[in-house]
Amino acid sequence: MVLLSLILLPILLLLLYFIVRPRPVTIPIKNRHVFITGGSSGIGLALAHQAASQGARVSLLARSLNKLQEAKESIRRSSGLDVSIFSADVRDYDAVQKAVNDAGPIDVLVVNQGVFVPQELDKQGLDEIKFMIDVNLMGSFNVIKAALPLMKERKDRLPASISLISSQAGQVGIYGYTAYSASKFGLRGLAEALQQEVIADNIHVSVVYPPDTDTPGFEKENEVRPELTKLLAGSSGSMKADEVAKKALDGIKSGSFTVPCNFEGHMLAIATAGLSPERSFLMAFIEVASVGVLRLVGLFFQWNWYQTIENWHAKKNSKFAIIDLSIYTQE
């Protein structure tokens, strides 16, 4: 059995070397135009700082002009470089198209905008659900559709990139993330199909999957998270925006389709690889070799989550029963 494995291993590696697609690529950043939506704070601003420090010409798009001006000034202080800013709502295609045209041809597009209001589906208003889908998913369509024509017509023909900042909630659904997960899961389908459409134009698509990230938005989210969401999602820990930005930019430059940001993210990426593109034959080998084991690990995680949910509801029902009994006794 060991001898057979030793014979099959190099055959599998050789096979994967020839079949992985798209082929490996390097996306240059220096002296390229990097356009970042949601760039006035959080991961987007951290990405802008890092891209500028590597010699990129940076443009930022966000809704708040005041925050954009603050971001512009902070980048100027840290790198000595000026950036272009554009105030627009990604839900407004015409406004996005005007900003993109004013900015000029884009080499690296980072679709980073996102909103999140955690809540159980039966308690969440349809206006909040629509808001998340419109910003997170439809806004991404608007930005990419506006940018694509000029990206395809770029003169240098060097490899270009479109990256979408998703979330680990775009890899696995969690209690209280019903609408948010739907909006982030959609980005993967968008990216997989888009990569096939733009590969002939030497445009390479990445999807970044950050965990909880210490940003102003995350602080607000924590204030309204359902209790069960905190129990289930809180165990994975959080990252700093600068750390996520570095992982994201490294993944973009290497042309990786799937860009995880921490250990849990790597495990999720392997467990949910499915039919996603993979450029690295070594990574493809790890996926092939470990998918069965990680499926078992995933089932243990699901068991733990459902046990937590069951225990929480049992505790809640027991508490209400005690309250009802107390009221009955007093009567």
Side-chain angles (χ1 to χ4, degrees):
M1 188 67 178
V2 175
L3 180 61
L4 180 61
S5 298
L6 291 174
I7 294 171
L8 292 177
L9 179 60
I11 295 174
L12 176 58
L13 285 169
L14 186 63
L15 174 65
L16 292 172
Y17 177 80
F18 281 106
I19 69 171
V20 292
R21 291 293 186 278
R23 304 304 291 176
V25 69
T26 299
I27 312 290
I29 294 294
K30 188 174 182 179
N31 297 323
R32 313 281 313 280
H33 183 197
V34 178
F35 189 101
I36 304 170
T37 67
S40 63
S41 64
I43 296 171
L45 179 56
L47 270 166
H49 275 281
Q50 295 194 21
S53 71
Q54 295 183 29
R57 178 169 71 89
V58 176
S59 294
L60 305 178
L61 181 143
R63 283 181 295 174
S64 171
L65 184 57
N66 288 337
K67 288 184 179 179
L68 281 167
Q69 289 170 337
E70 291 173 4
K72 179 177 181 175
E73 183 58 32
S74 72
I75 294 170
R76 182 188 290 125
R77 287 196 304 267
S78 66
S79 67
L81 298 176
D82 205 7
V83 302
S84 301
I85 57 173
F86 302 91
S87 176
D89 190 325
V90 294
R91 295 173 294 176
D92 183 344
Y93 176 76
D94 291 336
V96 170
Q97 187 176 48
K98 183 179 184 307
V100 166
N101 290 339
D102 290 346
I106 296 166
D107 300 302
V108 177
L109 175 64
V110 182
V111 186
N112 168 72
Q113 83 285 339
V115 292
F116 179 31
V117 184
Q119 187 60 273
E120 296 94 337
L121 180 61
D122 66 333
K123 298 177 182 177
Q124 191 156 48
L126 285 174
D127 55 339
E128 285 186 342
I129 294 170
K130 186 175 185 299
F131 178 50
M132 279 186 274
I133 292 174
D134 284 350
V135 172
N136 299 349
L137 186 56
M138 283 307 302
S140 299
F141 276 102
N142 288 340
V143 171
I144 295 169
K145 186 168 176 59
L148 261 182
L150 290 178
M151 291 188 75
K152 288 186 173 185
E153 294 171 7
R154 68 194 186 284
K155 295 179 180 179
D156 62 17
R157 305 313 298 171
L158 291 171
S161 170
I162 297 173
S163 66
L164 299 110
I165 309 300
S166 181
S167 164
Q168 286 182 358
Q171 295 172 292
V172 59
I174 294 291
Y175 185 101
Y177 285 38
T178 314
Y180 182 68
S181 282
S183 71
K184 291 297 187 176
F185 265 82
L187 295 180
R188 173 169 168 170
L190 187 169
E192 288 186 2
L194 181 65
Q195 180 61 95
Q196 295 180 12
E197 295 178 10
V198 300
I199 190 64
D201 298 291
N202 204 13
I203 299 173
H204 306 273
V205 180
S206 298
V207 187
V208 183
Y209 295 100
D212 287 340
T213 306
D214 293 332
T215 64
F218 180 58
E219 292 175 7
K220 293 179 181 178
E221 170 203 325
N222 261 334
E223 294 173 2
V224 295
R225 268 186 174 185
E227 184 180 344
L228 254 176
T229 305
K230 293 177 182 178
L231 291 173
L232 297 174
S235 60
S236 62
S238 63
M239 293 179 67
K240 301 292 185 183
D242 288 342
E243 296 171 335
V244 172
K246 185 180 186 309
K247 295 284 187 182
L249 195 57
D250 287 346
I252 291 167
K253 290 192 294 184
S254 67
S256 301
F257 181 82
T258 301
V259 183
C261 296
N262 59 5
F263 177 76
E264 292 89 346
H266 279 284
M267 296 301 100
L268 275 173
I270 295 169
T272 62
L275 292 176
S276 291
E278 179 54 68
R279 296 183 186 275
S280 166
F281 77 95
L282 290 175
M283 192 66 221
F285 172 74
I286 293 171
E287 291 170 355
V288 171
S290 60
V291 66
V293 173
L294 284 178
R295 175 56 178 158
L296 180 61
V297 172
L299 290 172
F300 272 108
F301 270 101
Q302 290 288 345
W303 170 79
N304 180 59
W305 290 338
Y306 279 97
Q307 280 291 111
T308 301
I309 293 168
E310 183 180 331
N311 292 339
W312 185 84
H313 280 289
K315 184 177 179 181
K316 179 182 176 183
N317 292 336
S318 174
K319 180 179 179 181
F320 283 143
I322 292 172
I323 292 173
D324 287 344
L325 180 61
S326 173
I327 294 172
Y328 177 77
T329 304
Q330 289 175 12
E331 290 176 347

